[in-house]
Amino acid sequence: MKLLEYQAKAVFEKYGIPIQKGVVVDAVEGIDEKIRGADLRFPIVIKAQVQIGGRGKAGGVKFADTPEEAAKLCGEMLGMDIRGFTAKELLVLEKKDIAKEWYLSIMLDRYSKSPLLIFSPQGGMDIEETARTNPERIAKVPIDPIRGVQDYTITYALDKTGADGQYRDKLKEVVEKLYRMFFDYYTMLVEINPLALDDQGRLVALDGKVEVDDNALPFLPDITAFRDKLQEDPQVIEARNVNFLFIPIEDEGNIAVMSNGSGMLMSCIDLISKKGMKVHAALDLGGGATAERIAEAVRIMLGRPKIDTVFICIFGGITRCDEVAKGAVIAMQKNEAAGKHLILRMEGTNKEEAAKIIAESNLPITVAEGIPNSVDAIYRIKHEKKGA
Ligand code: ADP
Ligand code: MG
């Protein structure tokens, strides 16, 4: 789950990472009072709260010198679209005099199997440009999870990037706090860009990006409480409410894949992609699906109008094939399923009975053996459709 900037900063604050005071607004009315109530002095900065970076370049970060200008900008920015995300809230803060913009993040690095510290003294909105043209100004330092952040971690990051060594202790303090938060909150990424060095030599987090592992949400009620304010996919919410995991994949795709387990889902998606087709979304059914659950899962999938082909791949275990088949039939008899095709691959208890149920249903359901054959069947069906 990706947090909004002000949510990320609320967590930074818990760890003593310096942030600016600010106020969140979701309406133009009463904006003067809010700004005054928060004791903010002009000039101010107004920032669209969306779960996506690059807001500055997309017109989502604006400056105002007067209350009139602030009200006008807030009116323009509330509801604005930033690459598919709607700004329902804005964060208002004082404009800061910035001497330097640094980049700082910690992410989980699967290659070094450890947290990875990334630092650059040339951060801010052009960090991608820095990565392209001056990669030597970006340091990537794995942090040994047993030793934690050491003096040499920071010294190396500063030396390697040609940054000013006099800030070593200050930077170390921020990194240590961020590192603690990285673990406590089960994050995949914590990022401060820019970590601004102000005119008085203080470091302040002007932006915050935090990505929490969804599987840890049951342990994190404060983060779960943030969810209401996020823009979530309706199918993701619908699926979560009934304990399925819905994963949007490629918008242009029109195939859906459903399975009992994420490994199987990935294998299916790999093989489908290899044949030059695109998967729109995947759904993990978990274990022990009944006919009703299967039908419900297909219904949720078909809530995405782009999907025209649903591939259900079930491999044995506690799921009974006849239940899966019954579920597929119930789903395909519904209105939403008009013009859609279902491919079913099942392995396990009552497989023959399941095949019989499908054969007798006379519905556009194809039963296939194994994943490669199923993928061939999907390919054939899609090409027949195109040809028709
Ligand atoms: P994004 O990364 O989504 O573009 P940021 O929060 O990093 O959004 O803001 C973009 C840029 O706006 C920053 O790099 C910084 O130059 C400027 N900025 C952001 N907050 C402030 C602030 N409080 N005072 C002055 N400048 C700011
Ligand atoms: Mg930023």
Side-chain angles (χ1 to χ4, degrees):
M1 179 172 138
K2 289 182 185 153
L3 304 191
L4 295 168
E5 175 191 352
Y6 74 88
Q7 298 172 333
K9 285 179 171 174
V11 189
F12 289 169
E13 198 173 20
K14 278 193 192 165
Y15 286 79
I17 296 169
I19 55 161
Q20 294 177 283
K21 63 180 179 210
V23 61
V24 178
V25 300
D26 59 5
V28 186
E29 297 79 53
I31 197 144
D32 281 6
E33 294 76 46
K34 280 215 158 170
I35 293 175
R36 253 181 280 129
D39 198 22
L40 300 182
R41 269 175 307 179
F42 284 85
I44 55 156
V45 55
I46 304 168
K47 308 176 77 177
Q49 298 300 290
V50 286
Q51 296 155 268
I52 195 166
R55 295 165 301 163
K57 287 190 172 160
V61 177
K62 297 249 168 77
F63 299 93
D65 290 322
T66 61
E68 295 72 38
E69 205 182 338
K72 183 172 166 279
L73 284 175
C74 285
E76 287 166 14
M77 290 170 77
L78 273 171
M80 82 184 285
D81 176 273
I82 298 186
R83 299 207 300 276
F85 287 84
T86 309
K88 292 198 191 115
E89 295 173 298
L90 306 171
L91 177 62
V92 183
L93 316 125
E94 283 179 11
K95 179 177 179 186
K96 203 153 181 60
D97 285 322
I98 306 170
K100 287 206 167 71
E101 297 196 13
W102 290 355
Y103 176 94
L104 176 65
S105 71
I106 301 172
M107 59 178 275
L108 189 65
D109 178 35
R110 290 176 198 279
Y111 184 70
S112 65
K113 300 189 179 67
S114 64
L116 184 72
L117 170 76
I118 306 179
F119 170 78
S120 174
Q122 204 171 314
M125 291 200 281
D126 291 321
I127 187 67
E128 281 87 9
E129 185 65 19
T130 304
R132 228 182 356 260
T133 55
N134 299 88
E136 75 287 351
R137 300 223 75 197
I138 300 179
K140 294 182 182 172
V141 197
I143 303 174
D144 182 331
I146 296 173
R147 293 199 174 86
V149 179
Q150 297 286 330
D151 281 347
Y152 57 75
T153 317
I154 308 301
T155 305
Y156 176 79
L158 290 169
D159 284 357
K160 157 117 195 344
T161 55
D164 193 338
Q166 67 164 309
Y167 297 109
R168 193 185 75 173
D169 293 347
K170 279 183 186 165
L171 180 63
K172 188 178 177 211
E173 205 184 312
V174 176
V175 172
E176 279 171 337
K177 289 170 175 167
L178 199 63
Y179 185 69
R180 230 173 295 138
M181 175 180 154
F182 175 81
F183 275 105
D184 292 353
Y185 277 87
Y186 303 85
T187 64
M188 330 264 266
L189 169 79
V190 284
E191 181 191 275
I192 306 177
N193 183 36
L195 175 63
L197 187 65
D198 71 9
D199 45 359
Q200 288 158 57
R202 290 174 306 205
L203 292 177
V204 188
L206 288 197
D207 190 8
K209 208 186 261 178
V210 172
E211 208 177 319
V212 175
D213 184 343
D214 285 348
N215 295 306
L217 288 176
F219 313 132
L220 304 170
D222 52 342
I223 300 293
T224 310
F226 287 145
R227 198 146 62 185
D228 292 350
K229 298 287 182 189
L230 304 180
Q231 183 175 329
E232 283 191 294
D233 214 294
Q235 278 76 34
V236 170
I237 300 173
E238 210 180 345
R240 186 173 60 224
N241 289 341
V242 289
N243 267 323
F244 291 136
L245 179 65
F246 183 98
I247 312 152
I249 301 182
E250 284 190 275
D251 242 1
E252 317 88 75
N254 39 31
I255 300 168
V257 184
M258 285 168 44
S259 186
N260 49 346
S262 54
M264 182 88 88
L265 279 178
M266 283 190 270
S267 307
C268 295
I269 296 165
D270 278 352
L271 288 176
I272 293 170
S273 308
K274 234 179 167 174
K275 257 201 145 10
M277 300 182 285
K278 284 187 173 157
V279 174
H280 184 87
L283 187 143
D284 192 341
L285 295 157
T290 58
E292 287 72 31
R293 299 268 296 158
I294 296 281
E296 175 71 355
V298 176
R299 189 191 62 75
I300 293 173
M301 266 299 182
L302 296 180
R304 308 278 281 219
K306 271 209 181 142
I307 292 174
D308 60 17
T309 313
V310 179
F311 174 33
I312 306 182
C313 182
I314 300 288
F315 193 84
I318 38 185
T319 308
R320 277 175 39 194
C321 296
D322 54 323
E323 281 287 319
V324 175
K326 275 182 204 154
V329 169
I330 297 170
M332 294 307 283
Q333 281 166 339
K334 299 236 165 89
N335 257 345
E336 304 83 68
K340 318 273 169 165
H341 206 113
L342 203 143
I343 290 90
L344 196 51
R345 182 263 170 143
M346 309 167 281
E347 212 59 68
T349 318
N350 297 343
K351 190 174 155 184
E352 289 72 28
E353 203 180 320
K356 221 171 114 204
I357 294 170
I358 300 295
E360 284 166 5
S361 76
N362 269 327
L363 287 163
I365 305 177
T366 306
V367 179
E369 280 288 327
I371 305 178
N373 283 331
S374 306
V375 175
D376 286 344
I378 297 170
Y379 189 84
R380 264 197 317 276
I381 289 160
K382 294 198 81 60
H383 283 256
E384 271 164 25
K385 267 194 185 153
K386 256 189 214 151

